[in-house]
Amino acid sequence: MKIIVTGGAGFIGANFLQLLVPRFRQHQFINLDSLGYASNLASLEGIDDSPNYVFEKVDIAEHEAVDEAFARHRPDLVVHFAAESHVDRSIVGPREFIRTNIEGTFNLLEAARKYFASGSGLFHHVSTDEVYGSLGEVGSFTEESRYDPSSPYSASKAAGDHLVRAWSRTYGLPVKITNCSNNYGPRQFPEKLIPLMVLHALERKPLPVYGQGRNTRDWLYVDDHCEAIWAVIEKGRVGETYNVGGSFEARNIDIVRSICRVLAECTGCSEGELTDLITFVGDRPGHDLRYAIDSTRIRRECGWAPRETFESGLRKTIRWYLDNRSWVEQIRTRDYTGWIERNYGGRGDHRE
Ligand code: NAD
Ligand code: TYD
């Protein structure tokens, strides 16, 4: 089988390829990525010289480039990860989100429609639980929850989901969609909560918690998400949507405290020295209060369940960042420092 993976130099795409390229030597994996700020080819070390793997620099928002790649590779399966993925960046500059997440998804759907042999092929769209908006104190998102996105990021992902369903209903394109909760793990760009806090704590920089830190997310270890996607590809129903979550809900402040505890244990420093760095800063506009996922459908139909607990996944993640400082340095030579200045500069802060 020929598999086009978009966004495979980013966090989840790279972890997906790290798991599956060695597992399925009989399949050919083609990684299409524009190598944007959140990508890192070093995330593919170990598989990048495999005979069943090839990388091509392609911007999915350029339809000729997408068409050309599809014409050449004639994929049987597309796993679409490529996206602008960071909520805070979408607030500061939404244009790229519309371009990649909506126009890019449209270009891929059109190319799949053109090049999949009639009645065959599968387009797997990787999406987020943020399309459902915010929950109150109770309840969880099911596949029937109403779309109600809050940020330019989640609105652009919601639009992508709608396009995928429309291409299925109108043109009969075989599609599947997964909507997953917050991921964490190795190779995540350090603008997201968990790697940002790990690296700031290591460098004794302030740990910026938005608002009161009461916002709650459902966390899933990245390998569990990748296995969920593969389980849906293999066992899920065509045209169907599957919600994926870790059934581990925590407030942001408790996540940051857990990071301080595990990091103190791993490095032998005092936990208090790290928790003293916690700094409450101005809130994110339109900040969703709570996400929680009901994964009953994928568990029942695809036999999937997460393997990691949050504690075991967090330990693996922290260990990875401690052992891979050169990966972090490669990322930081890009516009990372400028972004930190732009995002946190004007928020105002006070220590806990
Ligand atoms: P990421 O930002 O780490 O990686 C995205 C990758 O897409 C990067 O390598 C980037 O270069 C590439 N890309 C961006 N624009 C592109 C373009 N125009 N053409 C080609 N490539 C482009 O994101 P991630 O966290 O790995 O997320 C991957 C997917 O999973 C996204 O679709 C995201 O919406 C979804 N998702 C993420 C999470 C999460 O917690 N990270 C949770 C649920 C769903
Ligand atoms: P993030 O990792 O950006 O994921 P998402 O916005 O897609 O859920 O943020 C996770 C939570 O952490 C979210 O509620 C915002 C909060 N947060 C902070 O409190 N401080 C930070 O510096 C960042 C990046 C996020």
Side-chain angles (χ1 to χ4, degrees):
M1 186 156 64
K2 285 193 171 179
I3 306 173
I4 283 189
V5 174
T6 72
F11 165 48
I12 307 175
N15 282 292
F16 181 83
L17 288 163
Q18 289 283 357
L19 279 177
L20 296 187
V21 168
R23 188 185 298 172
F24 296 114
R25 296 277 177 207
Q26 73 277 26
H27 299 329
Q28 184 71 32
F29 292 85
I30 303 122
N31 178 2
L32 305 186
D33 196 299
S34 61
L35 296 183
Y37 79 91
S39 68
N40 193 348
L41 284 176
S43 295
L44 296 151
E45 267 167 24
I47 54 162
D48 47 6
D49 56 356
S50 305
N52 61 332
Y53 169 82
V54 14
F55 174 79
E56 287 184 18
K57 187 168 185 244
V58 171
D59 181 344
I60 60 162
E62 289 176 4
H63 68 88
E64 292 96 346
V66 170
D67 265 19
E68 199 271 324
F70 273 65
R72 218 156 11 87
H73 293 291
R74 303 245 159 206
D76 307 287
L77 169 64
V78 176
V79 190
H80 176 31
F81 291 98
E84 288 294 328
S85 71
H86 187 34
V87 173
D88 293 318
R89 282 192 194 250
S90 83
I91 295 167
V92 174
R95 186 174 300 281
E96 257 320 296
F97 289 73
I98 306 305
R99 185 177 174 274
T100 289
N101 301 358
I102 305 179
E103 290 175 30
T105 300
F106 163 68
N107 290 336
L108 290 165
L109 289 165
E110 280 293 82
R113 184 159 81 91
K114 195 158 153 191
Y115 293 107
F116 278 170
S118 143
S120 71
L122 176 65
F123 189 97
H124 186 99
H125 182 59
V126 180
S127 192
T128 165
D129 61 354
E130 299 191 30
V131 296
Y132 301 123
S134 186
L135 289 166
E137 300 291 338
V138 293
S140 52
F141 299 126
T142 70
E143 290 80 358
E144 277 68 47
S145 294
R146 188 169 70 93
Y147 272 44
D148 189 20
S150 304
S151 69
Y153 163 67
S154 51
S156 68
K157 289 298 291 185
D161 293 10
H162 290 319
L163 291 177
V164 173
R165 283 198 194 92
W167 260 243
S168 160
R169 290 181 200 159
T170 305
Y171 304 112
L173 189 76
V175 306
K176 295 180 187 180
I177 301 178
T178 39
N179 293 86
C180 187
S181 64
N182 286 61
N183 283 214
Y184 68 101
R187 308 179 182 89
Q188 185 167 30
F189 192 79
E191 65 189 355
K192 303 281 169 70
L193 180 73
I194 290 183
L196 184 130
M197 296 297 168
V198 172
L199 296 180
H200 277 213
L202 274 174
E203 291 161 12
R204 304 298 189 267
K205 290 180 182 161
L207 307 180
V209 176
Y210 298 166
Q212 302 299 307
R214 293 200 193 105
N215 301 68
T216 298
R217 299 290 182 261
D218 175 337
W219 292 96
L220 182 68
Y221 189 68
V222 63
D223 285 2
D224 283 322
H225 182 196
C226 295
E227 295 293 359
I229 292 168
W230 194 254
V232 169
I233 288 168
E234 283 196 327
K235 299 177 197 151
R237 283 178 285 147
V238 174
E240 199 51 88
T241 294
Y242 294 86
N243 281 355
V244 185
S247 303
F248 176 83
E249 271 187 60
R251 297 183 314 165
N252 293 336
I253 185 65
D254 296 325
I255 295 291
V256 175
R257 290 207 180 99
S258 299
I259 291 169
C260 293
R261 173 176 50 79
V262 174
L263 204 53
E265 251 181 72
C266 291
T267 59
C269 72
S270 101
E271 190 178 331
E273 188 189 340
L274 301 182
T275 51
D276 281 351
L277 298 168
I278 293 175
T279 307
F280 292 98
V281 299
D283 209 350
R284 171 188 280 173
H287 197 172
D288 286 338
L289 176 68
R290 178 172 162 263
Y291 306 140
I293 280 277
D294 179 343
S295 321
T296 306
R297 180 178 290 169
I298 184 175
R299 286 171 185 263
R300 199 181 48 222
E301 292 186 20
C302 307
W304 172 87
R307 291 206 186 117
E308 299 292 343
T309 62
F310 183 73
E311 185 67 22
S312 67
L314 184 63
R315 281 176 188 279
K316 280 190 180 179
T317 304
I318 289 179
R319 194 69 264 157
W320 190 87
Y321 281 95
L322 288 171
D323 293 343
N324 289 273
R325 296 312 299 261
S326 63
W327 183 94
V328 173
E329 290 319 314
Q330 277 169 343
I331 289 272
R332 285 198 158 158
T333 53
R334 314 252 185 92
D335 81 334
Y336 177 76
T337 317
W339 162 252
I340 293 288
E341 198 45 51
R342 286 197 301 283
N343 188 45
Y344 299 93
R347 282 186 191 266
D349 59 25
H350 58 275
R351 291 289 156 101
E352 196 182 22

